[in-house]
Amino acid sequence: MSETARIILEGQEYEFPVLTGSENEKAIDISKLRGTTGYITLDPGFKNTGSTQSGITYLDGENGVLRYRGYSIEELAEKASFMEVAYLLIYGELPNKEQLDYFNDSITHHTLVHENMKRFFEAFPLGAHPMGMLSSMVASLSTFYPESQNPNRDITDIEKTMHRLIAKMPTLAAQAYKHNTGLPTMYPKNDLSYVGNFMHMMWGVPSEDYKVDPVIESALNKLFILHADHEQNCSTSTVRVVGSSQANLYSSVSAGIAALWGPLHGGANQAVIEMLEAIRAEGTPLQSWIDRAKDKTDSFRLMGFGHRVYKNFDPRARIIKKAADDVLAQLGVNDPVLDIAKQLEEVALNDEYFVQRGLYPNVDFYSGIIYRALGIPTDMFTVMFALGRLPGWIGQWKEMTENREPIGRPRQVYTGATQRAFVALNDRA
Ligand code: CMC
C-alpha cells in the first residue's frame, strides 16, 4: 500500500499522497490541499517546501553530498571540463566527443556581443558594481535577439538562446571589468577554451599576445564546476519563477544574477574577503569577531559560514580549501588573509554556538582567496560565481519549461486591516 499523510482539520481527516525521490527523500504532496480543505501552508523562506520535482542536482545536506545528474562533485571537479559539465546539466548526459565538439563550436561562434552594447557600458559610471552591469547587460540581450521571446517555444530558438547566453556572458563579464579599469576591451579569441577565452578577455591587451596560464585556467575550470548548480537555491528559484511566467531566458537569468548578488547568497564571497581584510586591518582578536557574530543584538554574521541545506560540511568548501592551498603554492602567492581565514575557521569550529547550529565554512569562505590570488578584484567575485552558475540556471529553466510547470505564485496569510471606509484627506487625523 502506498504511503499517505493524514491531516486533521476541524475534526475532519484528509489524506495526501507521499512522494519518494530517487534517493529516497520523502515529500507530502499538498498540491490539492487548498482545493480540498480551504487551508494553505505557511513556510517563510520555503525551509520545508519543495517547489518542483527535478532530475538535475542531488544534495544531501546532512552527509555533505552533491551530485550533478548522478555524478559526484568531487569526480567532476577533478576530471571534467566546465563545458562537459554545462552540457551535462543542460542536456542530462555527459556529451560524447561529437556532441562536445558541436557544443563547443556553437558556443565559440556566439561569443561576440553587438557593438551597440559598448555604448551601454560607456554610460555606466566608473566603479559601477559589475553585478549591476552584468544583470542589466544580460537582460538587454533579449532586445537584440527578439526570437528569445519565443511564445511558440520553438526548440531551435530556445537552443540558440541557450548557446548565445553561455557564449556571451564571459564577454560581458570581462567588458564590465575593463570598464572599471579603463583598459580597452578585448574581442573573444575562438581558438581558446571557454575559460581561456574569458582569461584572454579579462587580462589581455591589444598590444600583447596573451598567454593562458594553465594553472589559472585549471583553477577557474574547477571553480566554475563547483558553482555550476545547487538545486533550488535563491537565484535558481528566481530563474524558475521568472521563467514560469514565460519570460525569456535572458530576463530570467538577469533576475537570477540580481538574486545571486545579495551577501547572504553569492555576494558572500565578496563579503568574506571584506570581513577578513577588516579583521586584518583592525588587528583585534578573532574571538571578538566570533562574539559579535553570536550576539543577537549585533547584525554582524560570520560571512562564509552556515548554509540553508548543509549542516555538517559543504563538500564544495572542502575541494576549494585544498584548491586554494594548491593555487597559492603554484603561483607562489603568500596571502596573510588565508592565514586569518584558517585561524577563524579553527576558532569557529570549536565554538559551541557554531557547532550546535551546524555552521561550517561554505563554498564562499575560500573561493575569494583563490580569486584574489588570480588577480580578480573583489567586486568581480560574485560575477565569477554567476559565470559558474549559468549552466545550472539554464538547465533548471529548460527543465521547468519542458515540464510546463505552472506559473510560480505563492499564497499568503493576510494580517493587515480588515475592510474600512475611505476617509477624506481633510477628515484624517
Ligand atoms: N554567523 C552567525 N550566526 C549565524 C550564521 C553566521 N554566518 N549563519 C546562521 N547563523 C545562526 C542564526 O543567527 C540562527 O541562530 P538562532 O537559531 O539562534 O536564531 C541559526 O544560525 C540558523 O540561521 P538561519 O539564518 O535561520 O539559517 P538560514 O538557513 O536561514 O540561513 C544562511 C542560511 C547561509 C543565509 C546563513 O547561514 C548566513 O547568513 N550565512 C552567512 C552568509 C553566507 O555565507 N552566505 C553564503 C551561503 S553559501 C553560497 C550560496 O550558495 O549561496
Side-chain angles (χ1 to χ4, degrees), residues 333-401:
V333 175
N334 186 8
D335 190 344
V337 155
L338 179 63
D339 298 331
I340 296 174
K342 285 185 173 164
Q343 289 163 29
L344 191 64
E345 179 182 354
E346 178 79 20
V347 180
L349 292 184
N350 288 305
D351 191 295
E352 195 59 18
Y353 173 97
F354 287 85
V355 175
Q356 263 178 5
R357 289 168 179 76
L359 301 171
Y360 293 85
N362 58 47
V363 69
D364 290 324
F365 193 65
Y366 284 106
S367 62
I369 290 167
I370 307 190
Y371 293 141
R372 247 162 81 100
L374 303 184
I376 295 166
T378 314
D379 65 2
M380 278 291 287
F381 290 0
T382 317
V383 168
M384 304 303 289
F385 192 153
L387 288 173
R389 183 55 53 88
L390 181 60
W393 287 332
I394 294 178
Q396 300 269 354
W397 180 92
K398 180 169 172 276
E399 182 181 69
M400 183 271 310
T401 306

Side-chain angles (χ1 to χ4, degrees), residues 2 50 104 194 201 228 340 403 415:
S2 57
N104 273 329
Y194 186 80
M201 291 187 290
I340 296 174
N403 291 347
T415 57

Side-chain angles (χ1 to χ4, degrees), residues 90-91 102-112 138 141-142 144-150 153-169 248-250 253 390 394 397-398 402:
I90 295 168
Y91 297 106
Y102 167 74
F103 187 56
N104 273 329
D105 193 61
S106 174
I107 301 296
T108 307
H109 283 93
H110 286 109
T111 47
L112 282 171
V138 167
L141 285 173
S142 59
F144 291 91
Y145 304 105
E147 64 271 33
S148 65
Q149 282 141 36
N150 190 8
R153 303 188 192 193
D154 179 88
I155 188 68
T156 324
D157 287 343
I158 290 180
E159 186 86 352
K160 204 182 270 180
T161 302
M162 294 191 302
H163 290 201
R164 274 194 179 126
L165 184 50
I166 297 175
K168 292 180 198 308
M169 211 153 98
N248 64 76
L249 179 64
Y250 300 122
V253 167
L390 181 60
I394 294 178
W397 180 92
K398 180 169 172 276
E402 284 169 355

Side-chain angles (χ1 to χ4, degrees), residues 3 26 39 123 126 181 230 265 285 295 299 309 329 389:
E3 219 179 327
K26 304 276 187 185
Y39 282 64
L126 204 64
T181 52
H230 215 232
H265 191 10
D295 181 355
S299 63
V309 188
R389 183 55 53 88

Side-chain angles (χ1 to χ4, degrees), residues 137-341:
M137 288 303 190
V138 167
S140 76
L141 285 173
S142 59
T143 65
F144 291 91
Y145 304 105
E147 64 271 33
S148 65
Q149 282 141 36
N150 190 8
N152 303 320
R153 303 188 192 193
D154 179 88
I155 188 68
T156 324
D157 287 343
I158 290 180
E159 186 86 352
K160 204 182 270 180
T161 302
M162 294 191 302
H163 290 201
R164 274 194 179 126
L165 184 50
I166 297 175
K168 292 180 198 308
M169 211 153 98
T171 312
L172 295 172
Q175 284 191 354
Y177 168 75
K178 293 285 195 181
H179 172 77
N180 279 344
T181 52
L183 290 164
T185 51
M186 294 296 284
Y187 286 100
K189 237 178 131 186
N190 289 347
D191 58 339
L192 298 173
S193 70
Y194 186 80
V195 171
N197 179 45
F198 172 65
M199 290 165 62
H200 151 80
M201 291 187 290
M202 280 283 286
W203 294 300
V205 285
S207 51
E208 284 166 25
D209 187 18
Y210 179 79
K211 293 265 176 300
V212 175
D213 181 334
V215 172
I216 302 182
E217 188 181 23
S218 152
L220 286 181
N221 186 65
K222 191 173 282 200
L223 281 162
F224 284 172
I225 291 173
L226 291 174
H227 285 94
D229 196 48
H230 215 232
E231 50 120 300
Q232 307 310 318
N233 57 83
C234 176
S235 57
T236 303
S237 299
T238 301
V239 170
R240 285 185 86 125
V241 168
V242 174
S244 75
S245 75
Q246 296 185 5
N248 64 76
L249 179 64
Y250 300 122
S251 307
S252 306
V253 167
S254 164
I257 295 170
L260 186 73
W261 191 359
L264 297 190
H265 191 10
N269 57 14
Q270 173 175 344
V272 167
I273 289 294
E274 286 167 354
M275 175 187 77
L276 294 173
E277 276 172 346
I279 294 175
R280 186 167 167 239
E282 285 187 25
T284 40
L286 287 180
Q287 191 57 48
S288 65
W289 294 84
I290 302 269
D291 291 343
R292 275 191 65 194
K294 288 159 42 174
D295 181 355
K296 296 292 173 200
T297 61
D298 189 329
S299 63
F300 173 75
R301 282 190 163 197
L302 215 52
M303 299 313 286
F305 270 77
H307 197 275
R308 168 61 61 80
V309 188
Y310 295 123
K311 298 298 175 199
N312 239 329
F313 68 92
D314 179 341
R316 303 167 301 171
R318 282 198 174 167
I319 303 171
I320 288 195
K321 186 178 178 183
K322 174 153 188 330
D325 281 335
D326 291 350
V327 167
L328 266 62
Q330 280 171 316
L331 297 177
V333 175
N334 186 8
D335 190 344
V337 155
L338 179 63
D339 298 331
I340 296 174

